[in-house]
Every structure is written in C-alpha cells, then in structure tokens.
Amino acid sequence: MAGYIIGLAVSLITTLMMEAIGIFSLKSSSPVGFYTGEEPFKKEELSDWKAWNQRHGWMWILYGIFIVLGYGVGALGKNDIRFLVFELGSIIVPLPLMCWYHHRLIKKYHKK
C-alpha cells in the first residue's frame, strides 16, 4: 500500500510539472519551444504564434492528465504488472505522439 501512495505522489508531482509547462505555454507572450535543445521560433516566423502556444500548452496539459489517469487505472487493477504497464505506458506512449503533433504544428504554422 505504501508503494501505491508513493507512486501517487510521484505521479501527481510529475503531472503538476506537465500542467505548469502547459499553463506557461498558454500564457507566454512569445512563441514557445517543444524540445529542450530546440530554439523557439520568433513571432515573425510563425503565421499565428498565439495559436502555436495554445496548441502546445493544451498538449502538455493533456499529457499531465494522461499520466495521472494512467496511474489511476493501473492502481485499480491491484496487479503489480498491470499497474506498471499502465503507469509506464501513460508516460512513454504519448511522447512519440507529442513529437508527431509538434512537427505537424511546424508544418501548419511555420512560415517558409
């Protein structure tokens, strides 16, 4: 039981970090980046930088929600393997989807 409580705390902290990134992206007054090493585009390089930020912000917020939901579904199973699959799956599976979506946003909003 203690392991589930510690896992919940870690999951909630991680979720809060993702939510904070999302809220920062929504409220930012300049275009946001996605990757750690990626230089964000300048406002002039994007056709609609506010929509760019909104899409990225909501992507991060949904990722945070997905993490905590994965924890909840896994914890309901009362099976350590199922729990591990759902928790790790909720963290790892969205990452390639987020990368794909980010590149789709580049095609949509980046002026060439």
Side-chain angles (χ1 to χ4, degrees):
M1 183 66 172
Y4 285 109
I5 293 172
I6 292 170
L8 177 62
V10 170
S11 182
L12 289 175
I13 290 169
T14 305
T15 297
L16 289 175
M17 287 190 295
M18 299 307 130
E19 302 294 320
I21 292 169
I23 291 168
F24 171 79
S25 296
L26 290 172
K27 295 183 180 257
S28 179
S29 60
S30 60
V32 296
F34 177 66
Y35 301 116
T36 305
E38 181 183 58
E39 187 71 29
F41 292 117
K42 294 178 177 61
K43 287 182 182 179
E44 310 82 50
E45 297 175 315
L46 296 170
S47 59
D48 187 353
W49 66 270
K50 289 182 181 181
W52 168 269
N53 285 1
Q54 284 183 340
R55 302 281 193 288
H56 279 86
W58 283 110
M59 176 180 62
W60 284 106
I61 289 170
L62 289 173
Y63 182 46
I65 291 169
F66 199 70
I67 290 171
V68 80
L69 286 177
Y71 181 88
V73 170
L76 289 175
K78 304 283 188 211
N79 178 319
D80 289 339
I81 298 300
R82 183 184 298 176
F83 172 73
L84 187 62
V85 167
F86 274 100
E87 181 60 14
L88 289 177
S90 70
I91 294 169
I92 296 170
V93 169
L95 292 176
L97 296 172
M98 292 169 67
C99 291
W100 170 81
Y101 186 63
H102 171 70
H103 288 287
R104 192 171 147 213
L105 291 176
I106 289 173
K107 288 179 184 178
K108 183 174 183 177
Y109 292 109
H110 187 249
K111 295 178 188 175
K112 296 184 176 149

